[in-house]
Amino acid sequence: MLSAFSRIALLIDISTCVQPRYLGKPWKETVEMISKITGYKAEEMAFVGDRLYTDVATGVKNGAKGFLVLTGEATMQTVSESDVEPTCIYESLDEMRRYL
């Protein structure tokens, strides 16, 4: 599934023959930038969020952990239908806090 931004970038790519550079979630440059700023390696990081295809995917597709919190967009059904596999799934941030 392409996001609205990805669709616009594809139109730019096709019309200009210049491939855009993607920044933000879930692109690897996001993890690399955070690593450069903090000094932490990807495997030492965890991305926490309620969206599989951005927050969690940023972690699990780029060498970090991806913690899913079921307080927003994602549900257990969307998890079962997604190719993104969260490292951990929590019902709430409070539940996650109890494990950290």
Side-chain angles (χ1 to χ4, degrees), residues 49-85:
D50 64 356
R51 292 185 178 188
L52 284 167
Y53 59 92
T54 56
D55 305 323
V56 176
T58 300
V60 299
K61 291 189 174 188
N62 297 295
K65 294 171 182 64
F67 295 168
L68 178 65
V69 183
L70 298 174
T71 56
E73 181 177 292
T75 65
M76 289 307 292
Q77 180 173 342
T78 58
V79 171
S80 68
E81 296 168 352
S82 175
D83 64 332
V84 176
E85 294 183 33

Side-chain angles (χ1 to χ4, degrees), residues 4 8 17-18 22 25 28 43-44 51 59 71 79 96 100:
I8 292 169
C17 298
V18 175
Y22 297 100
K25 298 181 288 187
K28 70 178 179 177
E43 57 271 14
E44 298 173 304
R51 292 185 178 188
T71 56
V79 171
M96 184 178 77
L100 299 178

